[in-house]
Amino acid sequence: MQYDIDKINDMISRFKRQNLKLQDITIYYDMDNCLALFSIHGLEEKALSEMENRGYFEGLPALDDGTKVIPVLQSMGAQVKILSACINTDFCKPEKRAWLAKHFPTITNDDIVLCEVGQTKAHIIESAGGDLTKSILIDDYGHNLIGWIDAGGFAIKKTFSGKRRNIPTIKNHVEIFKILYDLDVLNK
């Protein structure tokens, strides 16, 4: 998916003009295929059928140094929150919370936002009083990223392929530090 380069450039300029420090920013992380390996490339159909089974979400492996990066971001003053969509079962939300408690114990329940599949993530945060202009969404799903940018937020694409796109992209979570540095957030 290619993103509108003018929108991306505007997003970067808008964020930089605010002259923010890391402590001013809220970073929202998606879970599935961002922090947790929801599906291995080529096995998406299998994952989509297995997610209906109890234990699926709680048993997912963590991805790409996220378990190391998030506590460092928090220790540096960033507010880190989870923003993840859930399927309509009686176990998805409790399993995602249990998974986060196991892999990300520094994330409190108050910093976990679980919405329904199909809800617009930007609207969820705005309706709760969040300031998207000072927020970053890290997500693998293009629709979520575009909605976030259109609502005034900063979006980062989490990728598995490493394919570079015209939107800020990370393959491994440690790459967020370079993006934050390039935004002049870490230089203050």
Side-chain angles (χ1 to χ4, degrees):
M1 167 182 242
Q2 288 297 321
Y3 299 87
D4 182 313
I5 192 67
D6 292 330
K7 282 187 179 183
I8 300 303
N9 288 335
D10 181 57
M11 171 190 75
I12 294 168
S13 297
R14 221 178 33 235
F15 203 82
K16 286 177 105 172
R17 277 193 310 267
Q18 294 180 82
N19 200 28
L20 300 170
K21 296 180 275 192
L22 190 58
Q23 296 81 356
D24 302 326
I25 296 170
T26 303
I27 302 172
Y28 291 91
Y29 275 90
D30 175 46
M31 286 180 68
D32 303 322
N33 276 346
C34 191
L35 293 176
L37 180 59
F38 177 79
S39 64
I40 298 170
H41 183 68
L43 300 176
E44 288 84 5
E45 292 299 320
K46 182 178 179 187
L48 290 173
S49 67
E50 288 182 9
M51 75 178 182
E52 299 286 337
N53 299 326
R54 189 174 299 279
Y56 181 76
F57 290 101
E58 197 168 355
L60 296 174
L63 275 175
D64 306 327
D65 295 324
T67 57
K68 297 173 186 167
V69 169
I70 285 179
V72 170
L73 286 169
Q74 290 172 313
S75 72
M76 295 171 70
Q79 184 170 5
V80 178
K81 296 186 179 213
I82 303 301
L83 179 55
S84 184
C86 295
I87 61 171
N88 188 19
T89 66
D90 61 348
F91 56 82
C92 183
K93 287 181 181 180
E95 285 189 16
K96 284 193 173 194
R97 287 187 185 279
W99 187 90
L100 287 163
K102 176 182 176 184
H103 295 281
F104 295 91
T106 59
I107 301 283
T108 67
N109 267 331
D110 290 341
D111 290 330
I112 300 171
V113 180
L114 300 176
C115 60
E116 304 301 321
V117 170
Q119 287 185 298
T120 304
K121 289 184 174 182
H123 294 156
I124 296 292
I125 299 307
E126 285 178 320
S127 66
D131 183 356
L132 292 185
T133 65
K134 297 179 181 176
S135 298
I136 296 173
L137 174 66
I138 301 173
D139 205 315
D140 65 311
Y141 186 46
H143 180 74
N144 291 334
L145 299 169
I146 290 168
W148 198 265
I149 294 166
D150 287 346
F154 191 92
I156 298 173
K157 167 82 173 164
K158 173 67 171 86
T159 183
F160 296 99
S161 68
K163 178 182 174 185
R164 288 290 163 199
R165 294 166 174 86
N166 58 352
I167 185 172
T169 303
I170 61 172
K171 182 173 183 186
N172 188 298
H173 289 285
V174 298
E175 296 172 39
I176 190 173
F177 294 108
K178 180 179 181 334
I179 292 172
L180 293 171
Y181 182 82
D182 290 346
L183 291 172
D184 296 327
V185 170
L186 296 181
N187 314 359
K188 298 177 174 74

